Structure formats: C-alpha cells, structure tokens
Amino acid sequence: MTTPNSTLRAVRMGLLMSQDEFARAIRDAGLRAGQRNDASKRLVQRWESGATAAPRPVYARALEVVTGMPIESLGFAAPVPLARVSDDGEGGHDLEDSPVGIPTASSGPSVQPTTSRGNYSGVWLSTYEFYSSGRGETFTGKHYVVLLQHGNRLNARSLPGASLNPDSPLTLDLQLDGNTVTGTWTEQTASEGYYRGARYFGALQLLVEPTGRRMAGKWVGFGKEFDVNTGPWELRLMDASTAKETLERYSRPPQ
C-alpha cells in the first residue's frame, strides 16, 4: 500500500499552482537549465499519491528550482538518485547516479543523509505595518530585498529604488535556527520624507513556512516618543536567483 506524499502536495498548493501548472513549471525549469524533462499532470499525480516513490535526477533538480527547497524536504519516501562524483581509482573522478545513503558495489559504508534547511538566498518582498501616532494612521512599508545566506546567517539589503518610500534603505541581519529566524532590522528614512532622515532599528522574529517561500512574524522597535512598538512583518520569496538581471528587474518600487 502506497503512502501519499502530503508534503509535496502542500508545497504545490502553497505555490497556488494546479497539478498541470506545477508540471509546466517543472518543464520550464528543465528547459532553462538545458535539461529537458517530460513532466506532466499525470506524473505529479503519481508523486503526490505515492505511486512513484522518488523522481529521477532530472526531475529532482527541476523540483528544487520550482519549489526553492532541497529534494530531501519534499516528502519523497525513498532516497532520490542525484548525480555524485566519486573516485575512479585512477587519480580522477567519475560522475554517477547513486541514491543518497545507498553505497555502490565499490564504495564503503553507507553515509546517512542529513536533512537540509535549504537555501533562502534570492529576492524577497519585505512587508511590515506600523502605526504613526503623529498622523493617526496605520502604514505599510514595502521593500524588495536581496537576501544572501551564509551558513545559518541571513543578510538582506533593499535593492536600489525598491521601496514604497524613495531613498529609504532597509537592512536585515538574521540568524536561522530550524524554522525560526531571529535578528535585527535597520531603516534609514528618506531625508525629504515625513520622518526627515531619522534612523530606526529594532528586533525581528519570523517563522518559516514549510514551503520555505514565506516568513512571517513581528518586529519590535522604538517610536518617536521613545516608546517600544511592535507590528507584523512578512518576507515573501519572489525569485530564488540573485543574478544581476534579476536584481535589476526588482530595483523598482513594489506594487
């Protein structure tokens, strides 16, 4: 009796994709990588039902691109064969398809796979809300930020011209611990804006959703009267690429 892959189904639904749209995205990812695949709605159904325990390497790589998650985190019941490099015994190396954790005939003891947190580098939409006591209204701050991951450290900087309020750069310095992200934020307000160039900073804690494409939580910081305020904060993945052309495309005010 097969066990349905509810994790993959939840990830797909979190991306707001039908099975047909998901298959099309996997095909497109393969084409962009120069590794064409024949993903179809029927194949996605087989993955989600558990009828196919693990995708072939060409599909595994495309799945990682589409979901932004490592293949080990997508709920497949069996190890996924991935291309690996091994010693060929003649001073060089060979490329082989070998399931993670399962030794080949010539290899040594099995090495058990470790669970990967994934890589959160990419362009994210940062959104927070704050109440302005001077204006008696609640406002929303939005920035496109480029986030870079180094181990368990996440550093984000707003892209040029990529905020609702011009000349209002934002920086985030965060640490990842499981599905919890904790750190600090700093924003330099626009010199010609309402806050006249004031620099604000504070703490931030977010929880990462299972899809790895959204983080949500709260910020804490001081106000103009030196009282401590708080409010909601969200980071939503827009593009896993940090290529120059991607950063240029998001160097604009969010909608």
Side-chain angles (χ1 to χ4, degrees):
M1 184 176 179
T2 59
T3 301
N5 188 340
S6 56
T7 300
L8 182 64
R9 183 173 183 271
V11 169
R12 174 181 61 78
M13 294 180 69
L15 294 172
L16 303 180
M17 287 184 179
S18 67
Q19 290 177 331
D20 198 36
E21 290 169 334
F22 193 55
R24 188 180 309 120
I26 292 170
R27 293 196 302 271
D28 290 344
L31 286 174
R32 290 195 299 271
Q35 298 177 326
R36 183 173 178 175
N37 65 68
D38 298 313
S40 63
K41 178 180 178 180
R42 176 59 181 156
L43 179 59
V44 174
Q45 289 173 338
R46 289 183 62 81
W47 288 338
E48 294 186 357
S49 69
T52 298
R56 301 204 322 265
V58 66
Y59 293 111
R61 288 186 281 270
L63 276 164
E64 290 186 330
V65 171
V66 173
T67 64
M69 298 175 66
I71 196 66
E72 297 92 340
S73 299
L74 292 178
F76 291 104
V80 179
L82 295 177
R84 311 186 76 190
V85 173
S86 65
D87 184 359
D88 65 1
E90 299 177 359
H93 62 259
D94 290 327
L95 194 66
E96 61 180 5
D97 279 351
S98 175
V100 175
I102 300 178
T104 60
S106 61
S107 68
S110 169
V111 177
Q112 294 300 318
T114 57
T115 301
S116 172
R117 292 190 301 264
N119 192 302
Y120 298 103
S121 296
V123 175
W124 296 68
L125 174 60
S126 167
T127 305
Y128 64 85
E129 291 184 359
F130 68 99
Y131 180 76
S132 172
S133 56
R135 290 173 286 181
E137 294 182 55
T138 297
F139 292 86
T140 300
K142 290 187 177 184
H143 300 75
Y144 285 127
V145 301
V146 55
L147 187 152
L148 300 176
Q149 180 171 350
H150 306 281
N152 66 341
R153 304 293 302 184
L154 305 176
N155 302 108
R157 302 291 183 271
S158 57
L159 292 166
S163 63
L164 280 181
N165 299 313
D167 303 319
S168 185
L170 172 73
T171 61
L172 305 174
D173 293 295
L174 310 168
Q175 181 166 318
L176 180 67
D177 183 4
N179 67 338
T180 304
V181 174
T182 306
T184 61
W185 60 270
T186 304
E187 184 171 2
Q188 181 71 47
T189 63
S191 58
E192 301 299 323
Y194 178 81
Y195 294 102
R196 300 187 178 279
R199 178 175 174 270
Y200 290 95
F201 55 91
L204 178 66
Q205 189 162 64
L206 309 169
L207 294 177
V208 184
E209 289 191 349
T211 62
R213 304 178 68 90
R214 180 175 177 268
M215 308 178 191
K218 293 184 178 182
W219 61 267
V220 175
F222 65 90
K224 193 164 57 174
E225 303 299 327
F226 291 98
D227 52 342
V228 176
N229 300 316
T230 187
W233 200 311
E234 175 193 78
L235 290 173
R236 188 177 294 272
L237 180 65
M238 307 303 294
D239 198 310
S241 170
T242 57
K244 181 181 178 181
E245 56 270 21
T246 303
L247 303 187
E248 290 176 346
R249 189 165 71 251
Y250 284 97
S251 291
R252 56 178 174 80
Q255 299 299 315

